[in-house]
Amino acid sequence: MFTDTTCDPEIMKNATDTYFSLLQGFIASLDGTKQENKLRFMQNFKWTDTLQGNTPSAQQDAIFELVSMAFNVAIWHTKFASRLAGKENVTEEEAKDVHRSLKFAAGIFKHLKEVHIPRLITPAEKGRDLEPRVMDTYMVQCKAEAQEVTIARAIELKHNATLIAALAFETANFYQKADHTLNTLEPECSSKWRKYLQLKQHFYMAYAYCYHGQTLLVSDKCGESIRSLQEAEKCYSRAEALCKEYRQTKGPGSTAKPSEQLFFTTLGGLIKNTLQKCERENGFIYFHKVPAEVPQLELKASYGLAEPISFEFPALSEQCTPEVYTTFDLTKGAKAEKAKPKQEEDVKPMKEPDLKPQKDTGCVIS
């Protein structure tokens, strides 16, 4: 399902629910006691990690398989969202699906980190997908990218500039939080991801200062409005510079070109035109002094904040009964398995379809 371009969230849910409900039979206690399920540690599972190339993590633990598979389901939802967002003329319903998929992915990451990853006997190694910093970064970035959909909708419907500024400010803070979460990981595996998070942070700070400047102008605070828009220009220029640095930085993941996209170039024109308007108004009407200090963005969005959609694994499959459990004999084949120690090999990645979106969304979470 992961590489099938016709797969949708409903098909994915049906397939994964069936798998997860059966896998619970290797984890949940089935003999009426509170003892560990004897099947939990019978099979060795291998998964590669997003930041570590094709060298796999391996654990002989069914919970490792449970959380690794669910992690990939979350990643699939981000890819589904990116694929939809890359279409020409995205409909309102499709925009809702993008928003929902990103929030659902965030909910999976949150649930795994809080409930199931702590159950692993062997903690995830530094920089691996299941370690807290990587999980937190994915979760926060999903929330931030879901809010980008909200901001685009608010701008399209010409909502209040105060609301747009507050949403942009909150989104920039999410990207900053995600970036800071990665700052203790090795640069060779995190630098590229961090550059992307930094450029998005500065981009949305530019949005926040731009729309905050519009609010200040409406409140007859023209000098402060000009200063806010000057800061928006500064943040936008920094985002442009970070776009170049991001493209030149080597590391895991594909490379988007956000500075060439319409959503990026449109903001540059909006900042320039709004600043020129404020300067004209100040020269004709207000004659306010432009302060040296940047206006404080004490903004809190009342609406539109993206919260993760709650996720839980499905119940144990009806096929997993105490009677079935007793038929497993772990003594068979165990010696033969131990007699042949295997050299750890790289795992070949699954071949994904070469999807060329009709437009580059600048979204590279997956």
Side-chain angles (χ1 to χ4, degrees):
M1 296 294 178
F2 287 149
T3 57
D4 183 354
T5 57
T6 64
C7 183
D8 63 30
E10 187 179 353
I11 295 170
M12 178 59 69
K13 178 173 168 48
N14 291 338
T16 53
D17 276 2
T18 303
Y19 181 70
F20 288 139
S21 67
L22 286 167
L23 190 59
Q24 304 269 23
F26 291 77
I27 298 166
S29 179
L30 297 175
D31 59 2
T33 71
K34 291 187 178 179
Q35 287 187 329
E36 195 77 70
N37 189 314
K38 67 182 180 183
L39 307 177
R40 176 177 168 183
F41 304 108
M42 68 177 284
Q43 175 69 40
N44 191 40
F45 296 99
K46 292 182 185 178
W47 285 90
T48 53
D49 299 87
T50 47
L51 300 179
Q52 305 295 336
N54 295 335
T55 305
S57 297
Q59 288 197 32
Q60 194 146 330
D61 188 346
I63 289 180
F64 179 68
E65 170 69 2
L66 184 81
V67 294
S68 297
M69 184 65 80
F71 179 92
N72 277 268
V73 173
I75 292 291
W76 178 87
H77 277 277
T78 68
K79 289 178 180 287
F80 178 76
S82 184
R83 193 162 75 234
L84 267 188
K87 291 176 64 178
E88 286 287 356
N89 305 317
V90 177
T91 66
E92 183 178 337
E93 203 53 47
E94 286 168 336
K96 286 180 182 176
D97 285 341
V98 172
H99 195 245
R100 193 181 302 112
S101 283
L102 288 165
K103 291 196 297 179
F104 191 68
I108 295 176
F109 292 130
K110 184 174 188 288
H111 182 69
L112 294 180
K113 184 192 173 233
E114 293 177 355
V115 180
H116 295 283
I117 290 175
R119 298 170 67 194
L120 289 169
I121 302 296
T122 308
E125 294 173 23
K126 188 176 180 180
R128 298 287 179 175
D129 286 342
L130 303 183
E131 77 118 309
R133 288 167 298 183
V134 177
M135 295 295 289
D136 278 338
T137 305
Y138 269 121
M139 181 178 69
V140 173
Q141 188 176 341
C142 279
K143 289 166 65 175
E145 295 201 345
Q147 279 184 199
E148 290 191 55
V149 180
T150 307
I151 292 168
R153 176 76 174 161
I155 292 169
E156 185 184 2
L157 296 180
K158 295 182 170 57
H159 276 291
N160 188 298
T162 306
L163 173 63
I164 296 170
L167 280 170
F169 182 56
E170 299 266 17
T171 303
N173 287 340
F174 272 150
Y175 279 118
Q176 184 181 48
K177 180 182 177 183
D179 174 45
H180 288 175
T181 304
L182 291 177
N183 65 9
T184 51
L185 285 183
E186 284 80 359
E188 59 267 22
C189 67
S190 64
S191 290
K192 191 178 187 70
W193 196 357
R194 290 194 65 195
K195 289 291 182 191
Y196 172 74
L197 297 169
Q198 289 162 14
L199 76 86
K200 279 295 188 80
Q201 180 210 338
H202 283 84
F203 177 73
Y204 280 100
M205 283 302 291
Y207 250 123
Y209 278 116
C210 178
Y211 278 89
H212 187 53
Q214 293 181 27
T215 303
L216 290 168
L217 181 61
V218 172
S219 304
D220 295 325
K221 297 177 180 177
C222 197
E224 290 181 48
S225 173
I226 291 170
R227 186 65 189 87
S228 188
L229 283 148
Q230 287 172 344
E231 192 64 21
E233 270 195 329
K234 185 178 170 185
C235 291
Y236 186 79
S237 295
R238 180 65 185 132
E240 282 186 310
L242 281 164
C243 282
K244 291 177 185 174
E245 291 175 30
Y246 163 70
R247 285 201 298 271
Q248 292 163 2
T249 303
K250 293 181 179 179
S254 57
T255 303
K257 297 176 182 175
S259 60
E260 297 175 12
Q261 303 316 310
L262 188 62
F263 80 95
F264 199 97
T265 53
T266 300
L267 177 60
L270 178 65
I271 293 169
K272 182 181 177 183
N273 293 337
T274 310
L275 178 57
Q276 288 175 349
K277 177 186 175 183
C278 289
E279 288 171 338
R280 281 197 307 272
E281 298 290 306
N282 204 39
F284 279 108
I285 302 169
Y286 294 102
F287 305 105
H288 289 172
K289 184 180 177 182
V290 177
E293 289 290 315
V294 180
Q296 288 297 306
L297 289 176
E298 295 173 351
L299 304 170
K300 194 75 182 167
S302 306
Y303 309 98
L305 290 178
E307 286 299 323
I309 294 173
S310 180
F311 171 81
E312 295 220 348
F313 284 107
L316 179 70
S317 169
E318 291 178 358
Q319 297 177 58
C320 301
T321 63
E323 291 74 29
V324 170
Y325 181 69
T326 56
T327 64
F328 282 89
D329 183 356
L330 299 191
T331 62
K332 292 182 179 177
K335 288 179 183 175
E337 198 62 40
K338 285 178 184 173
K340 297 179 185 174
K342 289 186 179 177
Q343 188 91 22
E344 206 60 74
E345 296 176 353
D346 280 6
V347 172
K348 289 183 180 179
M350 291 176 72
K351 177 64 179 167
E352 291 190 62
D354 186 17
L355 290 173
K356 291 186 169 58
Q358 292 158 308
K359 61 176 183 176
D360 183 350
T361 60
C363 169
V364 291
I365 187 166
S366 53

CSV table of all heavy atoms in Angstrom, one decimal, residues 267-302:
chain,number,residue,atom,x,y,z
A,267,LEU,N,4.4,36.6,-1.4
A,267,LEU,CA,4.6,37.3,-0.1
A,267,LEU,C,5.6,38.4,-0.3
A,267,LEU,O,5.4,39.5,0.2
A,267,LEU,CB,5.1,36.3,1.0
A,267,LEU,CG,5.5,37.0,2.3
A,267,LEU,CD1,4.3,37.7,2.9
A,267,LEU,CD2,6.0,35.9,3.3
A,268,GLY,N,6.6,38.2,-1.1
A,268,GLY,CA,7.6,39.2,-1.3
A,268,GLY,C,7.0,40.5,-1.9
A,268,GLY,O,7.2,41.6,-1.5
A,269,GLY,N,6.1,40.3,-2.9
A,269,GLY,CA,5.4,41.4,-3.5
A,269,GLY,C,4.4,42.1,-2.6
A,269,GLY,O,4.3,43.3,-2.6
A,270,LEU,N,3.7,41.3,-1.7
A,270,LEU,CA,2.8,41.9,-0.7
A,270,LEU,C,3.5,42.7,0.3
A,270,LEU,O,3.0,43.9,0.6
A,270,LEU,CB,2.1,40.7,0.0
A,270,LEU,CG,1.1,41.1,1.1
A,270,LEU,CD1,-0.1,41.9,0.4
A,270,LEU,CD2,0.6,39.9,1.8
A,271,ILE,N,4.7,42.3,0.8
A,271,ILE,CA,5.4,43.1,1.7
A,271,ILE,C,5.9,44.4,1.1
A,271,ILE,O,5.7,45.5,1.7
A,271,ILE,CB,6.7,42.3,2.2
A,271,ILE,CG1,6.2,41.1,3.0
A,271,ILE,CG2,7.6,43.2,3.0
A,271,ILE,CD1,7.4,40.1,3.4
A,272,LYS,N,6.4,44.3,-0.1
A,272,LYS,CA,6.9,45.5,-0.8
A,272,LYS,C,5.8,46.5,-1.1
A,272,LYS,O,5.9,47.7,-0.8
A,272,LYS,CB,7.5,45.1,-2.2
A,272,LYS,CG,8.1,46.3,-3.0
A,272,LYS,CD,8.7,45.7,-4.3
A,272,LYS,CE,9.2,46.9,-5.1
A,272,LYS,NZ,9.7,46.4,-6.5
A,273,ASN,N,4.6,46.1,-1.6
A,273,ASN,CA,3.5,47.0,-1.9
A,273,ASN,C,2.9,47.6,-0.6
A,273,ASN,O,2.6,48.8,-0.6
A,273,ASN,CB,2.4,46.2,-2.7
A,273,ASN,CG,2.9,45.8,-4.0
A,273,ASN,OD1,3.8,46.4,-4.6
A,273,ASN,ND2,2.3,44.8,-4.6
A,274,THR,N,2.8,46.8,0.5
A,274,THR,CA,2.2,47.3,1.7
A,274,THR,C,3.1,48.3,2.3
A,274,THR,O,2.7,49.3,2.9
A,274,THR,CB,1.9,46.1,2.7
A,274,THR,OG1,1.2,45.1,2.0
A,274,THR,CG2,1.1,46.6,3.9
A,275,LEU,N,4.4,48.0,2.3
A,275,LEU,CA,5.4,49.0,2.9
A,275,LEU,C,5.3,50.3,2.1
A,275,LEU,O,5.3,51.4,2.7
A,275,LEU,CB,6.8,48.4,2.8
A,275,LEU,CG,7.9,49.3,3.3
A,275,LEU,CD1,7.7,49.8,4.8
A,275,LEU,CD2,9.3,48.6,3.2
A,276,GLN,N,5.3,50.3,0.8
A,276,GLN,CA,5.2,51.5,0.0
A,276,GLN,C,3.9,52.3,0.3
A,276,GLN,O,3.9,53.5,0.4
A,276,GLN,CB,5.2,51.1,-1.5
A,276,GLN,CG,6.6,50.7,-2.0
A,276,GLN,CD,6.6,50.2,-3.4
A,276,GLN,OE1,5.5,50.0,-4.0
A,276,GLN,NE2,7.8,50.0,-4.0
A,277,LYS,N,2.8,51.6,0.5
A,277,LYS,CA,1.5,52.2,0.8
A,277,LYS,C,1.7,52.9,2.2
A,277,LYS,O,1.2,54.1,2.3
A,277,LYS,CB,0.4,51.2,0.9
A,277,LYS,CG,-0.9,51.7,1.3
A,277,LYS,CD,-2.0,50.6,1.5
A,277,LYS,CE,-3.3,51.2,2.1
A,277,LYS,NZ,-4.3,50.1,2.4
A,278,CYS,N,2.3,52.2,3.2
A,278,CYS,CA,2.4,52.8,4.5
A,278,CYS,C,3.3,54.1,4.5
A,278,CYS,O,3.0,55.1,5.1
A,278,CYS,CB,3.0,51.8,5.5
A,278,CYS,SG,1.9,50.5,5.9
A,279,GLU,N,4.4,54.0,3.7
A,279,GLU,CA,5.3,55.1,3.6
A,279,GLU,C,4.6,56.3,2.9
A,279,GLU,O,4.8,57.5,3.3
A,279,GLU,CB,6.5,54.7,2.8
A,279,GLU,CG,7.4,53.8,3.6
A,279,GLU,CD,8.6,53.2,2.9
A,279,GLU,OE1,8.5,53.2,1.6
A,279,GLU,OE2,9.6,52.8,3.5
A,280,ARG,N,3.7,56.0,1.9
A,280,ARG,CA,3.0,57.1,1.2
A,280,ARG,C,2.0,57.7,2.2
A,280,ARG,O,1.9,59.0,2.3
A,280,ARG,CB,2.2,56.5,0.0
A,280,ARG,CG,3.0,56.3,-1.2
A,280,ARG,CD,2.1,56.2,-2.4
A,280,ARG,NE,1.1,55.2,-2.3
A,280,ARG,CZ,1.3,53.9,-2.6
A,280,ARG,NH1,2.4,53.5,-3.0
A,280,ARG,NH2,0.3,53.0,-2.4
A,281,GLU,N,1.3,56.9,3.0
A,281,GLU,CA,0.3,57.4,3.9
A,281,GLU,C,1.0,58.3,5.0
A,281,GLU,O,0.5,59.3,5.4
A,281,GLU,CB,-0.4,56.2,4.6
A,281,GLU,CG,-1.3,55.4,3.7
A,281,GLU,CD,-2.5,56.0,3.2
A,281,GLU,OE1,-3.3,56.6,4.0
A,281,GLU,OE2,-2.7,56.1,1.9
A,282,ASN,N,2.2,57.8,5.4
A,282,ASN,CA,2.9,58.5,6.5
A,282,ASN,C,3.4,59.9,5.9
A,282,ASN,O,3.4,60.9,6.7
A,282,ASN,CB,4.1,57.7,6.9
A,282,ASN,CG,4.5,58.1,8.3
A,282,ASN,OD1,3.7,58.4,9.2
A,282,ASN,ND2,5.8,58.1,8.6
A,283,GLY,N,3.7,59.9,4.6
A,283,GLY,CA,4.2,61.2,4.0
A,283,GLY,C,3.1,62.2,3.8
A,283,GLY,O,3.3,63.4,3.8
A,284,PHE,N,1.9,61.7,3.6
A,284,PHE,CA,0.7,62.6,3.3
A,284,PHE,C,-0.1,62.9,4.6
A,284,PHE,O,-0.7,64.0,4.7
A,284,PHE,CB,-0.2,62.0,2.3
A,284,PHE,CG,0.3,62.2,0.9
A,284,PHE,CD1,0.9,61.1,0.2
A,284,PHE,CD2,0.3,63.4,0.3
A,284,PHE,CE1,1.3,61.3,-1.1
A,284,PHE,CE2,0.7,63.6,-1.0
A,284,PHE,CZ,1.3,62.5,-1.7
A,285,ILE,N,-0.3,61.9,5.5
A,285,ILE,CA,-1.3,62.1,6.5
A,285,ILE,C,-0.7,62.0,7.9
A,285,ILE,O,-0.9,63.0,8.7
A,285,ILE,CB,-2.3,60.9,6.4
A,285,ILE,CG1,-3.0,61.0,5.0
A,285,ILE,CG2,-3.4,61.0,7.5
A,285,ILE,CD1,-3.9,59.7,4.7
A,286,TYR,N,0.1,61.0,8.3
A,286,TYR,CA,0.4,60.8,9.7
A,286,TYR,C,1.7,61.5,10.1
A,286,TYR,O,1.7,62.0,11.3
A,286,TYR,CB,0.6,59.2,9.9
A,286,TYR,CG,-0.7,58.5,9.7
A,286,TYR,CD1,-0.9,57.7,8.6
A,286,TYR,CD2,-1.7,58.5,10.7
A,286,TYR,CE1,-2.1,57.0,8.4
A,286,TYR,CE2,-2.9,57.7,10.5
A,286,TYR,CZ,-3.1,57.0,9.4
A,286,TYR,OH,-4.2,56.3,9.2
A,287,PHE,N,2.7,61.5,9.3
A,287,PHE,CA,4.0,62.1,9.7
A,287,PHE,C,4.5,61.5,11.0
A,287,PHE,O,5.1,62.3,11.9
A,287,PHE,CB,3.9,63.7,9.8
A,287,PHE,CG,3.3,64.3,8.6
A,287,PHE,CD1,2.0,64.7,8.5
A,287,PHE,CD2,4.1,64.4,7.4
A,287,PHE,CE1,1.5,65.3,7.4
A,287,PHE,CE2,3.6,65.0,6.3
A,287,PHE,CZ,2.3,65.4,6.3
A,288,HIS,N,4.4,60.2,11.2
A,288,HIS,CA,4.9,59.6,12.4
A,288,HIS,C,6.3,59.2,12.3
A,288,HIS,O,6.8,58.9,11.2
A,288,HIS,CB,4.1,58.2,12.7
A,288,HIS,CG,2.7,58.4,13.1
A,288,HIS,ND1,1.8,57.4,13.2
A,288,HIS,CD2,2.0,59.5,13.5
A,288,HIS,CE1,0.6,57.8,13.6
A,288,HIS,NE2,0.7,59.1,13.8
A,289,LYS,N,7.0,59.3,13.4
A,289,LYS,CA,8.4,58.8,13.4
A,289,LYS,C,8.4,57.3,13.4
A,289,LYS,O,7.7,56.7,14.1
A,289,LYS,CB,9.1,59.4,14.7
A,289,LYS,CG,10.6,59.0,14.8
A,289,LYS,CD,11.2,59.6,16.0
A,289,LYS,CE,12.7,59.2,16.1
A,289,LYS,NZ,13.4,59.6,17.3
A,290,VAL,N,9.3,56.7,12.6
A,290,VAL,CA,9.4,55.3,12.6
A,290,VAL,C,10.3,54.8,13.7
A,290,VAL,O,11.5,55.2,13.8
A,290,VAL,CB,10.0,54.8,11.2
A,290,VAL,CG1,10.2,53.3,11.2
A,290,VAL,CG2,9.2,55.2,10.1
A,291,PRO,N,9.8,54.0,14.7
A,291,PRO,CA,10.6,53.7,15.8
A,291,PRO,C,11.8,52.7,15.5
A,291,PRO,O,11.7,52.0,14.5
A,291,PRO,CB,9.6,52.9,16.7
A,291,PRO,CG,8.5,52.5,15.8
A,291,PRO,CD,8.5,53.4,14.7
A,292,ALA,N,12.8,52.8,16.3
A,292,ALA,CA,14.0,51.9,16.1
A,292,ALA,C,13.6,50.5,16.5
A,292,ALA,O,14.1,49.5,15.9
A,292,ALA,CB,15.2,52.4,16.9
A,293,GLU,N,12.8,50.4,17.6
A,293,GLU,CA,12.4,49.1,18.1
A,293,GLU,C,11.4,48.4,17.2
A,293,GLU,O,10.4,49.1,16.8
A,293,GLU,CB,11.8,49.2,19.5
A,293,GLU,CG,12.9,49.6,20.6
A,293,GLU,CD,13.8,48.5,20.9
A,293,GLU,OE1,13.4,47.3,21.0
A,293,GLU,OE2,15.1,48.7,20.9
A,294,VAL,N,11.5,47.1,17.0
A,294,VAL,CA,10.5,46.4,16.3
A,294,VAL,C,9.3,46.2,17.2
A,294,VAL,O,9.4,45.8,18.3
A,294,VAL,CB,11.1,45.0,15.9
A,294,VAL,CG1,10.0,44.2,15.1
A,294,VAL,CG2,12.3,45.1,15.1
A,295,PRO,N,8.0,46.4,16.6
A,295,PRO,CA,6.8,46.2,17.4
A,295,PRO,C,6.8,44.7,17.9
A,295,PRO,O,7.1,43.8,17.1
A,295,PRO,CB,5.7,46.4,16.4
A,295,PRO,CG,6.3,47.3,15.4
A,295,PRO,CD,7.7,46.9,15.3
A,296,GLN,N,6.4,44.6,19.1
A,296,GLN,CA,6.3,43.2,19.7
A,296,GLN,C,5.1,42.4,19.1
A,296,GLN,O,4.0,43.0,19.0
A,296,GLN,CB,6.1,43.3,21.2
A,296,GLN,CG,7.3,43.8,22.0
A,296,GLN,CD,8.5,42.8,21.9
A,296,GLN,OE1,8.3,41.6,22.2
A,296,GLN,NE2,9.6,43.3,21.4
A,297,LEU,N,5.4,41.2,18.8
A,297,LEU,CA,4.3,40.3,18.3
A,297,LEU,C,3.7,39.5,19.4
A,297,LEU,O,4.0,38.3,19.6
A,297,LEU,CB,4.9,39.4,17.2
A,297,LEU,CG,5.3,40.0,15.9
A,297,LEU,CD1,5.9,38.9,15.0
A,297,LEU,CD2,4.1,40.6,15.2
A,298,GLU,N,2.9,40.2,20.2
A,298,GLU,CA,2.3,39.5,21.3
A,298,GLU,C,0.9,38.9,20.8
A,298,GLU,O,-0.2,39.4,21.1
A,298,GLU,CB,2.1,40.4,22.5
A,298,GLU,CG,3.4,40.9,23.1
A,298,GLU,CD,3.2,42.0,24.1
A,298,GLU,OE1,2.1,42.5,24.3
A,298,GLU,OE2,4.2,42.3,24.8
A,299,LEU,N,1.1,38.0,19.9
A,299,LEU,CA,-0.1,37.4,19.2
A,299,LEU,C,-0.4,36.0,19.6
A,299,LEU,O,0.4,35.2,19.8
A,299,LEU,CB,0.2,37.5,17.7
A,299,LEU,CG,0.6,38.8,17.1
A,299,LEU,CD1,1.1,38.6,15.6
A,299,LEU,CD2,-0.6,39.8,17.1
A,300,LYS,N,-1.7,35.8,19.8
A,300,LYS,CA,-2.2,34.5,20.2
A,300,LYS,C,-3.4,34.2,19.3
A,300,LYS,O,-4.4,34.9,19.4
A,300,LYS,CB,-2.5,34.4,21.7
A,300,LYS,CG,-2.7,33.0,22.2
A,300,LYS,CD,-1.4,32.4,22.5
A,300,LYS,CE,-1.6,30.9,23.0
A,300,LYS,NZ,-0.3,30.1,22.9
A,301,ALA,N,-3.3,33.1,18.5
A,301,ALA,CA,-4.4,32.8,17.6
A,301,ALA,C,-5.5,32.2,18.4
A,301,ALA,O,-5.3,31.2,19.2
A,301,ALA,CB,-3.9,31.8,16.5
A,302,SER,N,-6.7,32.7,18.2
A,302,SER,CA,-7.9,32.1,18.9
A,302,SER,C,-8.5,31.0,18.1
A,302,SER,O,-9.2,30.2,18.6
A,302,SER,CB,-8.9,33.2,19.1
A,302,SER,OG,-8.4,34.3,19.8
